[in-house]
Amino acid sequence: MVYVTLACAILSEILATTAMKYSDGFSRLWPSLATALGYLLAFALLAQTLKSMSVGTAYAIWSGAGTAVIAMIGMVFLGESAGALKLLGVLLVIAGVVVLNLDGAH
């Protein structure tokens, strides 16, 4: 169940960050509200995750997965460059999360 909660926290953070892109510097109401609510939910779910998972493991998964997915969204949907170095960077983020979790999630 803890991984479901963490996955929901990650999804909420990804949606909030994507909404922030469309908030135009928080000058558009609905994307700005979606950003605020998304981050509030993301942090609430992450806090629940931390009740039964170590902070290092949870944060590594949360931040790494969020970073990788947001980078991919930028490249696929928002017209950001998708060069070899950027793709390598995303792979290194994912590899870093895997390495940090080799000790096991506690």
Side-chain angles (χ1 to χ4, degrees):
M1 187 66 182
V2 69
Y3 283 101
V4 172
T5 305
L6 182 57
C8 290
I10 293 165
L11 178 61
S12 182
E13 186 266 337
I14 290 165
L15 292 173
T17 302
T18 304
M20 189 186 309
K21 171 70 175 166
Y22 294 102
S23 75
D24 196 26
F26 294 113
S27 65
R28 297 180 61 215
L29 177 63
W30 296 114
S32 298
L33 287 175
T35 299
L37 292 173
Y39 278 120
L40 182 64
L41 179 60
F43 282 111
L45 291 168
L46 181 60
Q48 291 301 310
T49 300
L50 295 178
K51 288 181 176 181
S52 56
M53 183 183 284
S54 71
V55 69
T57 299
Y59 195 74
I61 296 169
W62 185 69
S63 61
T67 299
V69 172
I70 286 295
M72 296 306 293
I73 287 171
M75 288 183 272
V76 173
F77 298 108
L78 302 176
E80 296 177 7
S81 66
L85 283 177
K86 188 177 274 190
L87 293 172
L88 176 62
V90 170
L91 291 174
L92 288 172
V93 167
I94 294 167
V97 170
V98 170
V99 170
L100 284 171
N101 286 289
L102 287 177
D103 188 35
H106 298 98

